[in-house]
Amino acid sequence: TRLYLGANDSGYLDVPSNQIDHFERDLTPANSSATPPAQPNTGGARLDEVVTEASSHHQLDPDLVNSVIRAESGFNSRAVSPKGAQGLMQLMPQTASKLGVANAFDPRANVEGGTQYLRSLLEQYNFDLVKALAAYNAGPLRVAQYGGVPPYYETQAYVARIIRDFNRKKLAQQHSAAAAKTKLRKAAASPRSADSASPTQRASR
């Protein structure tokens, strides 16, 4: 079964049909690309500022980091998974320790550590986003074992959810930019009243 990850055919995963447990309807709100609400305990900064700072530090798109946070914790800085992953970007205690994150429930430290880890995975897989996200969810050992995305429903759905959310944001930005350009072109093409007046009319004013 071919699972397309975006609005076009450029990205997809081929999944053995007998390994698909079930399908779910995409219930993500249409405005999911909106800036998330500010989270507490960020040293007075908004969460979007924290994400932008960490993304700039590690040269990642902040929209991608936000999509990972949405999938991992739903922007809940106190989230804890059944396996023990903690905080906004769901860092396992041993991973947090390696990244120098003393308190995974501190949003600023968690986002900085999670973004650093995501960047390292992207470098490890030559910026193959699908593999990097699969490793973030299931671990690099599983990606190496299966030569790509592991045949786990959770990981496959996780990768698809993040890429779909990220693509949605980029498409919305493209549409907004195109609309702004169209508006500027129309404004430039519309003659201004003063400029459209004849020389005689201007002289008589």
Side-chain angles (χ1 to χ4, degrees):
T1 300
R2 181 156 291 181
L3 173 65
Y4 289 95
L5 304 175
N8 54 41
D9 297 346
S10 61
Y12 58 83
L13 292 173
D14 284 330
V15 182
S17 299
N18 61 359
Q19 293 179 0
I20 296 176
D21 180 74
H22 65 284
F23 293 92
E24 294 180 357
R25 184 180 296 277
D26 180 12
L27 299 177
T28 307
N31 64 346
S32 66
S33 60
T35 301
Q39 295 288 330
N41 304 320
T42 56
R46 288 174 53 86
L47 178 58
D48 58 338
E49 295 172 352
V50 171
V51 169
T52 297
E53 180 182 321
S55 300
S56 176
H57 184 200
H58 297 289
Q59 298 181 314
L60 290 183
D61 189 323
D63 284 338
L64 174 60
V65 176
N66 266 316
S67 291
V68 172
I69 294 174
R70 182 184 298 279
E72 287 287 350
S73 66
F75 299 103
N76 178 6
S77 62
R78 305 299 300 178
V80 179
S81 78
K83 295 180 180 179
Q86 302 172 338
L88 289 168
M89 298 189 74
Q90 291 290 275
L91 301 177
M92 293 296 288
Q94 60 269 33
T95 302
S97 178
K98 290 179 182 178
L99 294 168
V101 178
N103 178 11
F105 295 113
D106 172 14
R108 185 181 292 276
N110 187 289
V111 171
E112 169 64 26
T115 305
Q116 178 185 341
Y117 183 48
L118 180 58
R119 172 73 191 198
S120 70
L121 291 173
L122 283 164
E123 292 177 352
Q124 180 176 340
Y125 298 109
N126 296 316
F127 293 90
D128 184 326
L129 180 57
V130 171
K131 287 183 178 180
L133 291 174
Y136 196 102
N137 177 262
L141 290 178
R142 291 290 179 257
V143 173
Q145 178 182 353
Y146 292 100
V149 180
Y152 307 146
Y153 169 77
E154 176 192 343
T155 301
Q156 293 165 355
Y158 170 87
V159 171
R161 184 162 60 249
I162 291 175
I163 293 180
R164 183 173 59 239
D165 186 59
F166 181 60
N167 285 343
R168 184 181 288 118
K169 292 172 184 174
K170 292 308 169 188
L171 286 171
Q173 291 171 10
Q174 290 173 8
H175 292 158
S176 296
K181 287 181 180 179
T182 299
K183 187 175 180 179
L184 285 174
R185 282 199 300 269
K186 288 181 178 179
S190 177
R192 291 174 296 180
S193 58
D195 291 340
S196 61
S198 67
T200 303
Q201 288 174 319
R202 286 198 295 266
S204 65
R205 290 176 185 167

